[in-house]
Amino acid sequence: MRLLLTTDAVGGVWQYSLDLAGALAEQGVETVLVQLGPPPSAAQRAEARAIAGVTFIESGLPLDWLSDGPAPVLTAGAEVSRLARLHGVDLVQLNMPTLAAAASPGVPVLAVTHGCVSTWWQHARPGVSLDPGFHWHRALTEQGLRAADRVVAPSAGYAEVIRGYYTLPTLPTVVHNGRAPLVTPKGEPVQDFVLTVGRLWDSVKGAELLDAVAAELSVPFHAAGAATGPHGETARLENLHLLGQLDSPALAHRLAARPVFVSAACFEPFGLAVLEAAAAGCALVLADIPVFRELWGDVALFVPPRDAAAYRATIERLIGDLGLRRMLGDAAADHARRYTPVRMADAMLPLYRQLLAERAPAGKVAA
């Protein structure tokens, strides 16, 4: 089997794509990995090229959420189709569903929805109508979702959000993301500190709320990730200890101390950073949202998403109770074993095979 898989080097889709391509390679699938958006770093480039069975292409094509209108995205979809034909792939997996609006590769197309501007807006600005400047993105996303032969979401919670928002006739298939552990839990938590990881500039991640929490904690609160976004978005953070963007070895070093890990995200289609922390044996304090309940319901402490006092009290409870902290961390690490790249690939392969057997034309989802 030969697969064209799109990716980008900006967010979690990058790690998702590499983990999936690596796990698929072990089952004999060759992947043409097409990167869109800003160029990868040297380390990312080397990481992609090191995966056996992967052909890595830096396309220079745009990301939809960094574009000002539909034309560049439609052009990108057409170019991805050209690359699919050029490399003789059997099917295409688009990790940016808008590309499917113009894709015509002559083979089945599967679209994975990791998030979109419109559903993000719904949670970032509840009760506020979508900015007219993003209407084109909403329309293109709906076209792409309906044009794909199969739509996949990384959680049941987000699958329901997507079906409801875009009134899809079929619920997206749920395939949970997978991630190899960055570090194996060893013994007791060794340091008393708190950690959050993510796009700190993104208002739905709750970094400014956690900054207020950090001001009154008895222990340091570290935050890894970009504080400034691609359009100049900036979070005002005065109390969090900012670590900047951490590569995998640097993050593994932090996680090895088994800090209390916190996510205050009010919107999250999956949350790879939470999985990385759980696999390392960190006790989890999470926003009480449906996706986190779905994924971590029995092994985390949940807090109302916008309640700073509740976050502070829950964190201090864990800092003061090493036994509870260790128990929750061990439970999270055990639970994280169900979200691995191998399991993710094992769930995707039957979908690929079904599409190949059907040889379904684009548009079946909308039929």
Side-chain angles (χ1 to χ4, degrees), residues 90-152:
D90 299 301
L91 72 161
V92 170
Q93 177 176 327
L94 301 174
N95 287 314
M96 197 166 75
T98 49
L99 295 172
S104 182
V107 296
V109 173
L110 181 148
V112 181
T113 174
H114 298 277
C116 74
V117 171
S118 297
T119 55
W120 171 89
W121 183 280
Q122 190 180 42
H123 292 82
R125 296 172 173 81
V128 179
S129 298
L130 182 67
D131 187 313
F134 295 125
H135 285 178
W136 69 266
H137 190 281
R138 185 195 187 286
L140 212 58
T141 300
E142 182 172 357
Q143 291 173 34
L145 291 170
R146 290 176 175 271
D149 297 298
R150 180 69 63 91
V151 176
V152 169

Side-chain angles (χ1 to χ4, degrees), residues 226-253:
T228 301
H231 295 112
E233 306 93 335
T234 302
R236 299 180 60 184
L237 306 173
E238 300 176 352
N239 304 299
L240 291 167
H241 178 213
L242 302 182
L243 305 175
Q245 293 279 83
L246 299 182
D247 60 17
S248 292
L251 179 57
H253 175 73

Side-chain angles (χ1 to χ4, degrees), residues 9-366:
V10 178
V13 172
W14 175 261
Q15 194 60 60
Y16 164 88
S17 303
L18 294 192
D19 285 339
L20 178 59
L24 289 172
E26 295 179 1
Q27 302 204 44
V29 178
E30 298 179 3
T31 298
V32 178
L33 187 63
V34 178
Q35 180 263 328
L36 298 90
S41 66
Q44 287 176 314
R45 191 175 290 115
E47 190 179 15
R49 290 175 176 168
I51 303 174
V54 169
T55 300
F56 181 55
I57 298 173
E58 296 180 47
S59 71
L61 297 170
L63 291 179
D64 54 9
W65 60 279
L66 293 179
S67 298
D68 294 327
V73 183
L74 292 169
T75 299
E79 176 61 14
V80 167
S81 293
R82 187 191 71 81
L83 290 171
R85 293 189 295 270
L86 178 66
H87 290 271
V89 303
D90 299 301
L91 72 161
V92 170
Q93 177 176 327
L94 301 174
N95 287 314
M96 197 166 75
T98 49
L99 295 172
S104 182
V107 296
V109 173
L110 181 148
V112 181
T113 174
H114 298 277
C116 74
V117 171
S118 297
T119 55
W120 171 89
W121 183 280
Q122 190 180 42
H123 292 82
R125 296 172 173 81
V128 179
S129 298
L130 182 67
D131 187 313
F134 295 125
H135 285 178
W136 69 266
H137 190 281
R138 185 195 187 286
L140 212 58
T141 300
E142 182 172 357
Q143 291 173 34
L145 291 170
R146 290 176 175 271
D149 297 298
R150 180 69 63 91
V151 176
V152 169
S155 63
Y158 192 56
E160 291 286 359
V161 168
I162 284 293
R163 179 174 67 170
Y165 189 87
Y166 292 103
T167 61
L168 299 181
T170 304
L171 184 70
T173 301
V174 177
V175 176
H176 290 139
N177 289 348
R179 183 82 172 98
L182 295 178
V183 60
T184 302
K186 295 181 180 178
E188 305 272 350
V190 295
Q191 293 182 30
D192 287 336
F193 71 95
V194 185
L195 178 67
T196 191
V197 178
R199 298 188 302 272
L200 305 179
W201 56 266
D202 185 345
S203 61
V204 302
K205 303 301 182 183
E208 292 188 353
L209 179 145
L210 295 181
D211 191 63
V213 172
E216 300 184 27
L217 282 182
S218 61
V219 296
F221 197 147
H222 298 174
T228 301
H231 295 112
E233 306 93 335
T234 302
R236 299 180 60 184
L237 306 173
E238 300 176 352
N239 304 299
L240 291 167
H241 178 213
L242 302 182
L243 305 175
Q245 293 279 83
L246 299 182
D247 60 17
S248 292
L251 179 57
H253 175 73
R254 299 279 175 175
L255 293 175
R258 298 181 69 178
V260 174
F261 185 88
V262 180
S263 174
C266 63
F267 170 66
E268 190 67 80
F270 183 84
L272 279 177
V274 179
L275 174 53
E276 290 171 338
C282 297
L284 304 177
V285 177
L286 305 177
D288 195 355
I289 60 175
V291 167
F292 284 161
R293 282 282 183 180
E294 170 192 342
L295 299 174
W296 306 105
D298 296 329
V299 298
L301 298 181
F302 292 92
V303 177
R306 294 177 173 87
D307 190 336
Y311 277 105
R312 183 167 58 253
T314 304
I315 292 168
E316 292 287 13
R317 176 188 172 197
L318 285 171
I319 293 298
D321 189 338
L322 182 60
L324 176 61
R325 184 173 158 194
R326 182 181 62 246
M327 181 188 72
L328 284 173
D330 290 345
D334 183 64
H335 191 81
R337 294 189 182 99
R338 67 184 62 189
Y339 307 127
T340 66
V342 170
R343 286 197 172 191
M344 176 171 60
D346 285 345
M348 294 299 289
L349 270 171
L351 303 182
Y352 298 158
R353 292 182 178 128
Q354 182 180 3
L355 288 177
L356 289 173
E358 294 172 352
R359 286 286 170 179
K364 183 175 179 182
V365 168

